[in-house]
Amino acid sequence: MRAVIVAAAVAFIISLFGTPVAIRVFTALKAGQPIRSIGLASNQGKKGTPTMGGVVFIVATVFAYVAGHIALTTVPERQIAEEGPTMTALVLLGLFVFCGAVGFFDDFLKVRQRNSDGLSAKGKLLGQAIVGGGFGIAALYVPSTNGQTVASEHISLIRDISWLNVGKVGAVMVIVFVIMAMSNGVNLTDGLDGLATGASILVLGAYALIGFWQYRHWCADDAYARVNDYCYQVRDPLEIAMIAAAAAGACVGFLWWNTSPARIFMGDVGSLGLGALIGGLAVATRTTLLSIMIGGLFVIITTTWVIQIVSFRTTGRRVFRMVPLHHHFELAGWSEVNIVVRFWIVAGVCVAVGLGLFYSDFLAVVG
């Protein structure tokens, strides 16, 4: 538990005090957020606000993981960890950093060209697919000393579904889909001050709890497995908990400056990176299908966006006033703060239901 707390605290402090530095640096570099001319008039006042703030919480998470791992080596009891970074950490942090890099390139083009076009949609999807595929292969083909891999060949809900074995190639394709879906879901949600940041904190906090719970009921822990028939077949759950807690803490520190009125935006570097990390956490904890509920707000916003696109292209009619969904409510007269808080509530309810389903499965087995 000490390592998880240390990681979250270090990430929070780095992000809280590092973000003002980033604001000054990106302002000096004229890295302001371009706003679409066809967008909402209320958003035009945000033009020029520094962007690419996601760099701060990505860096904070990486440094916090190192701090948490150092704290982990000082705990003598229940110590089951490799000396250096585990493959689980390399996969999760790799997804965070490299999908963030795809977003950084997109943000860089927007700032340099002084418009909101940036990297093409196909270019972003290709970048996400390459990153997701690369780390998906590592997650499936690099086992630990006991033969456990970061990902599984099975589709998972709360743990692996035994009869849904898709093989390694199929599993890599599933991983790529999950990474791309979550990455773009967070990206679509990032449209109002603090919205994506706050929702991500709730989801990351849920995965920190799931990772720590799996660690306390881990099949690799002989002290637990000897006296219990039920345990979790995952790899490095404490590392999962540390990384999720560190990312959540970093986002809390960033939210101090990102909440309305935002002093800085996370940019695509932040949203694509966060979504990829959340997708990676779902894969590593064997909760791929459960992530649809835990990340319910991102799923809702993505689904409504797809509905709008399909409806307009097939019938010429719009189901919503504007997508992503939060802009629909802006046009309906809701204030930005009201939308953000209410969407946070929706995200919180989805997370609570997801955690409830996770815990109820445990009770059903051991009860």
Side-chain angles (χ1 to χ4, degrees):
M1 187 65 176
R2 180 193 306 175
V4 176
I5 294 174
V6 167
V10 170
F12 170 74
I13 292 170
I14 293 176
S15 187
L16 180 66
F17 293 102
T19 302
V21 177
I23 292 171
R24 290 193 291 271
V25 170
F26 289 134
T27 300
L29 293 175
K30 298 184 184 332
Q33 176 68 48
I35 303 295
R36 291 185 301 170
S37 58
I38 61 173
L40 293 169
S42 59
N43 289 337
Q44 295 303 314
K46 300 179 181 182
K47 186 175 181 179
T49 302
T51 187
M52 296 190 281
V55 170
V56 178
F57 55 71
I58 291 176
V59 171
T61 300
V62 173
F63 276 97
Y65 166 75
V66 174
H69 208 277
I70 292 172
L72 183 61
T73 61
T74 66
V75 181
E77 68 275 8
R78 294 178 62 84
Q79 175 56 37
I80 310 172
E82 299 175 15
E83 290 298 323
T86 62
M87 179 53 63
T88 302
L90 293 176
V91 168
L92 293 178
L93 293 177
L95 285 170
F96 200 14
V97 171
F98 284 93
C99 273
V102 174
F104 182 87
F105 184 57
D106 181 43
D107 289 331
F108 175 77
L109 290 179
K110 290 177 183 176
V111 170
R112 183 177 182 181
Q113 297 169 2
R114 293 292 187 267
N115 62 51
S116 60
D117 293 337
L119 192 61
S120 69
K122 290 182 180 179
K124 281 197 283 190
L125 291 174
L126 178 61
Q128 291 168 315
I130 291 172
V131 173
F135 285 99
I137 291 170
L140 277 164
Y141 287 87
V142 184
S144 62
T145 53
N146 66 0
Q148 187 74 53
T149 54
V150 178
S152 168
E153 296 180 28
H154 295 79
I155 302 296
S156 60
L157 176 59
I158 295 172
R159 53 187 184 278
D160 285 344
I161 302 173
S162 58
W163 53 272
L164 273 180
N165 188 323
V166 295
K168 288 189 175 181
V169 175
V172 171
M173 294 174 65
V174 170
I175 292 171
V176 171
F177 175 78
V178 171
I179 298 303
M180 293 177 69
M182 278 295 177
S183 189
N184 287 294
V186 178
N187 185 242
L188 288 172
T189 305
D190 182 33
L192 299 179
D193 296 353
L195 176 55
T197 309
S200 296
I201 290 168
L202 294 169
V203 175
L204 291 166
Y207 275 111
L209 290 173
I210 288 172
F212 190 74
W213 183 262
Q214 290 179 333
Y215 168 66
R216 300 300 294 185
H217 306 86
W218 191 20
C219 294
D221 185 351
D222 292 335
Y224 179 83
R226 278 198 304 267
V227 296
N228 292 276
D229 295 327
Y230 181 80
C231 56
Y232 293 97
Q233 288 282 1
V234 295
R235 179 173 175 176
D236 310 312
L238 189 57
E239 297 267 294
I240 294 171
M242 274 199 300
I243 292 170
C251 285
V252 172
F254 181 76
L255 183 60
W256 182 273
W257 307 99
N258 181 235
T259 193
S260 183
R263 297 270 310 276
I264 188 171
F265 300 139
M266 68 168 66
D268 281 9
V269 59
S271 59
L272 296 185
L274 280 174
L277 174 60
I278 291 169
L281 290 168
V283 170
T285 55
R286 309 293 201 268
T287 57
T288 303
L289 295 178
L290 187 64
S291 68
I292 296 173
M293 177 56 68
I294 294 176
L297 178 66
F298 306 136
V299 174
I300 291 169
I301 289 176
T302 303
T303 302
T304 54
W305 181 83
V306 172
I307 290 171
Q308 181 87 325
I309 298 299
V310 172
S311 175
F312 186 75
R313 289 184 178 178
T314 56
T315 69
R317 296 181 179 180
R318 293 181 172 87
V319 178
F320 307 97
R321 291 182 174 94
M322 188 176 181
V323 289
L325 187 60
H326 37 272
H327 294 319
H328 166 83
F329 290 104
E330 278 192 290
L331 290 173
W334 291 20
S335 70
E336 180 173 358
V337 173
N338 276 342
I339 297 169
V340 170
V341 172
R342 288 168 181 170
F343 275 40
W344 283 352
I345 292 171
V346 172
V349 170
C350 291
V351 164
V353 172
L355 288 176
L357 291 172
F358 178 84
Y359 186 59
S360 65
D361 173 78
F362 178 82
L363 291 180
V365 175
V366 303

